[in-house]
Amino acid sequence: MIIPKKLRIGDEIRVLSPSSSIERTGGLEANQVAEETLRKLGFKVTFGKHILENDVLGSASIESRVEDIHQAFLDEHVKGILTSIGGFNCNELLPYLDYELIKNHPKVFCGYSDITALSNAIYAQTGLVTYSGPHYTSFKMRVHQEYQTECFRNVLMSEGKHQLSASDTWSSDSWYVPDYTPHIQQGEWKIYSEGKASGMSVGGNIGTFNLLQGTRYQPADEAVVGFLELEEEGDFRDFTRAIASFLQAYTPKALLIGRFPQETEMSEERLRLVLGKYPELKSIPVIYDMDFGHTQPIMTFPIGQVVHVDTFSKVVSFFDE
């Protein structure tokens, strides 16, 4: 396991688009608030050479995206890498990446959604801990930004023990639309089955993670804690068959489930019915409605690091060692 050096005030963060182009979110100008937020945190922000490339599939070419990833890891001035947005095609990059280059130049790599494929593949191929957390564009979110930013800083800018716990509030809104009314709800992680357990953190977006099954990019750990979430384009049926696939590939020590966007029509009743199909989930810690995935805010957590789950205190913790 390789834990990358923590970010510091004054560090350069490189923004890349390994999945959809940043043009999907309006380009650089439409995301200036995100750049301002990161600069206020003390970071220098730069962008990949091909960040604005945008073909008929809404993305840059494989060659351009791979070049930007390699250059970001090679550049000694770059201390952290943030993805601009998710998408649908990150996994097509995996055979073309130079994993020895990445392993020899370890640094913070953070994103979520479709980036799940890249984060888990890098860990599986190199042992480098990556992070599921905010995209670059996430930093222009107004409501819930305090929790999101504080978690980002805690995990990526400080050494030692890290504890993740529920946000006070959350919402499932089109927060990126200039004029919207947030529907604020009380934040609470909910328990399906109680217990304490430890294991290697894997997962992220469940559909994207399952694309790695049967490939050399799938994490091969036996004792895992699975982080699973579903995007707003999916629905509860997609999660139902995706979790079956995940449980056929792994026997997790604990299962952590992100909040479901309202578009998925996943109710608490439906989720508990799905979980109840699997007797093994009654004997391990299972928490749901957690702060990661496609609702707001989202926490930052590692991929490829031992995490400790305690449902009694509703805390997920890990140590940098």
Side-chain angles (χ1 to χ4, degrees), residues 56-108:
V56 295
L57 295 177
S59 184
S61 68
I62 290 175
E63 293 79 8
S64 293
R65 286 178 282 155
V66 167
E67 179 183 345
D68 279 358
I69 292 170
H70 287 166
Q71 286 303 315
F73 275 98
L74 277 172
D75 192 329
E76 62 181 16
H77 299 293
V78 174
K79 306 304 181 183
I81 300 169
L82 278 179
T83 56
S84 65
I85 193 64
F88 69 96
N89 60 353
C90 202
N91 68 316
E92 66 189 16
L93 305 182
L94 304 184
Y96 306 102
L97 292 172
D98 185 336
Y99 294 100
E100 280 300 308
L101 179 155
I102 293 171
K103 183 177 181 178
N104 291 331
H105 300 84
K107 57 191 64 177
V108 166

